[in-house]
Each structure stands twice: as C-alpha cells, then as structure tokens.
C-alpha cells in the first residue's frame, strides 16, 4: 500500500498543477483514507488536504464524508479539521467556536504540523492571539525559519511590537 505521507505529497502535486487535477487528488485521498493510516498526524494532514481539495471543487458532500471519516482521530485533530471546514464554507463563527473549545496546552503538545495548521486557520479567521500563542510554540531555538517569519507576521498583526523586538533580539544574540 502507498504510504500516507506520499499520498499527501502526490495530492499536493496534483492540486498545484495548472489546471489543478482535483479529481485525481480526491481519488488518491479516497484510496489512502480507506487504508488504515497508523500515524494520527499523517491521517490528519491527508484529511485536511482532502477537505481543502473537495471544498475547492465545490464537493461539499465529500467534505462531510472526509470529516466523518476523521472521527476516529483524536478529538483535538477532529476539532481543528471541523474548524477548517467551517472556515472554508464561510462559517467563521462556527470555526471560532471549534478552536475556542480547544485546550491551548493540549494543542501545544500536539505535533508541529497540527499546531502550524491550527495557527493558520486561527489567523485567517481573526483569532490572532490564539494563533500567536501557537506560532510561539513553533519557534526554533537558534535559527530563522518559516515559522519564525510567520510568528513575526502574526505578532505584528496583533500589535505585539514588544514580542517582535524580543524575538529579533533573541535571534541576534544567537548569531542569526
């Protein structure tokens, strides 16, 4: 059976084609999700990509199907997926409610990919403080990464100039 990570990557390639091959990506998602994906974070990423792809092609019945198939994931992962699906369909308040119901501590202990995804959803729906806390948990010790840039951008949007200056100072002290 193909690995779930490779399926996720292949879906990304098909969706990024010009024009996007969303149908091909959804066929891969269906086949991959039929298999038992053992690593919860991988199943989460694959389901998230399927939700995005189905929503982008207007197949809301498939969005619901993917969300139902995610019910065997941890409650936290399901809530993040449901918040994302609500955001995609313009139900911003529902998305906010889903994310507000999550424990920040539980989220901060989840895999980096999950935190990164939840922070992006939170930022897009205006939950900037929530997103900032998650982005802070992704900061590397002594290097400038994409996560660092996303943290600085989110802190700027929140008006947290002190956080921006502190992070820049910390990086300078590390020789970055």
């Amino acid at each position: 059976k193909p690995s779930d990570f490779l399926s996720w990557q292949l879906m990304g390639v098909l969706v990024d084609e010009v024009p996007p091959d969303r149908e091909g990506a959804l066929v891969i998602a269906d086949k991959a999700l039929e298999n038992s994906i053992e690593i919860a974070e991988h199943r989460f990423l694959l389901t998230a990509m399927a939700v995005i792809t189905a929503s982008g092609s207007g197949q809301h019945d498939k969005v619901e199907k993917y969300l139902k198939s995610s019910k065997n994931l941890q409650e936290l992962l399901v809530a993040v997926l449901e918040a994302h699906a609500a955001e995609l369909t313009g139900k911003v308040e529902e998305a906010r409610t889903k994310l507000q119901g999550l424990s920040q501590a539980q989220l901060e202990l989840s895999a980096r990919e999950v935190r990164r995804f939840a922070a992006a959803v939170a930022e897009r729906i205006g939950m900037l403080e929530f997103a900032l806390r998650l982005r802070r948990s992704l900061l590397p010790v002594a290097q400038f990464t994409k996560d660092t840039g996303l943290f600085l951008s989110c802190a700027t949007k929140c008006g947290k100039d002190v956080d921006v200056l502190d992070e820049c100072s910390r990086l300078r002290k590390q020789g970055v």
Side-chain angles (χ1 to χ4, degrees):
K1 85 181 186 191
S3 87
D4 43 290
F5 183 72
L6 289 176
S7 297
W8 174 72
Q9 287 185 316
L10 183 56
M11 284 180 68
V13 168
L14 292 174
V15 170
D16 288 342
E17 285 183 342
V18 178
D21 183 3
R22 289 188 177 104
E23 287 305 315
L26 292 176
V27 167
I28 290 169
D30 288 339
K31 289 186 184 297
L33 290 170
E34 285 172 6
N35 294 322
S36 176
I37 298 173
E38 295 174 16
I39 301 172
E41 287 78 12
H42 290 184
R43 186 170 186 83
F44 169 81
L45 290 172
L46 191 66
T47 305
M49 176 71 84
V51 166
I52 292 166
T53 304
S55 179
S57 60
Q59 297 184 40
H60 302 293
D61 56 324
K62 283 205 174 217
V63 170
E64 291 302 316
K65 172 187 161 191
Y66 297 134
L67 288 176
K68 284 180 185 162
S69 78
S70 74
K71 294 302 180 192
N72 61 349
L73 289 172
Q74 293 174 325
E75 185 178 324
L76 167 104
L77 301 178
V78 173
V80 173
L81 283 172
E82 289 174 343
H84 180 59
E87 174 213 354
L88 289 172
T89 57
K91 300 174 186 168
V92 175
E93 284 308 313
E94 182 180 327
R96 284 186 181 132
T97 301
K98 293 283 182 193
L99 288 182
Q100 287 167 344
L102 298 176
S103 156
Q104 188 77 30
Q106 187 183 25
L107 260 173
E108 288 174 4
L109 292 174
S110 66
R112 293 181 69 79
E113 295 83 7
V114 175
R115 285 180 281 155
R116 194 175 285 126
F117 192 87
V121 172
E123 198 168 337
R124 286 192 304 267
I125 61 174
M127 294 178 65
L128 297 176
E129 296 286 333
F130 186 91
L132 186 63
R133 286 191 303 273
L134 287 175
R135 296 231 184 264
R136 183 175 283 119
S137 76
L138 293 164
L139 290 174
V141 176
Q143 60 188 28
F144 189 95
T145 65
K146 181 179 179 179
D147 287 323
T148 310
L150 291 170
F151 170 79
L152 293 171
S153 173
C154 188
T156 301
K157 289 177 188 174
C158 286
K160 302 284 185 173
D161 298 336
V162 171
D163 287 351
V164 172
L165 294 172
D166 286 348
E167 181 59 18
C168 290
S169 175
R170 185 185 72 78
L171 288 168
R172 274 192 302 279
K173 286 177 186 173
Q174 297 289 333
V176 178

